[in-house]
């Protein structure tokens, strides 16, 4: 399964300005968990894995 994340330039700028790193991680994880119910658990685990590397 392949994913593509689409974001706008204004969102990118806004996210970079956030000082709260936990908030940035939570937002990033939420964006990555956008799959359907059949892959939800796998998607959440992957998002958590990615969040720990940031």
């Amino acid at each position: 399964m392949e994913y593509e994340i689409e974001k706008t330039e204004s969102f990118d700028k806004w996210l970079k300005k956030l000082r709260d790193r936990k908030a940035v991680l939570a937002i990033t994880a939420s964006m990555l968990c956008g799959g359907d119910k059949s892959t939800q658990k796998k998607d959440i685990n992957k998002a958590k894995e990615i969040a720990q590397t940031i």
Side-chain angles (χ1 to χ4, degrees):
M1 184 174 285
E2 192 172 314
Y3 296 95
E4 182 177 333
I5 297 174
E6 295 182 29
K7 54 187 176 177
T8 64
E9 187 177 328
S10 59
F11 176 80
D12 233 7
K13 286 180 183 179
W14 173 79
L15 191 64
K16 286 178 183 177
K17 287 181 183 179
L18 284 181
R19 294 177 188 243
D20 185 344
R21 295 290 104 193
K22 286 185 180 182
V24 172
L25 290 174
I27 292 165
T28 303
S30 295
M31 290 172 53
L32 294 174
C33 292
D36 61 28
K37 278 290 199 192
S38 67
T39 62
Q40 186 177 28
K41 191 166 191 82
K42 179 180 154 195
D43 295 341
I44 291 170
N45 289 336
K46 183 65 175 176
K48 287 179 181 179
E49 180 183 315
I50 291 169
Q52 289 181 358
T53 65
I54 296 174

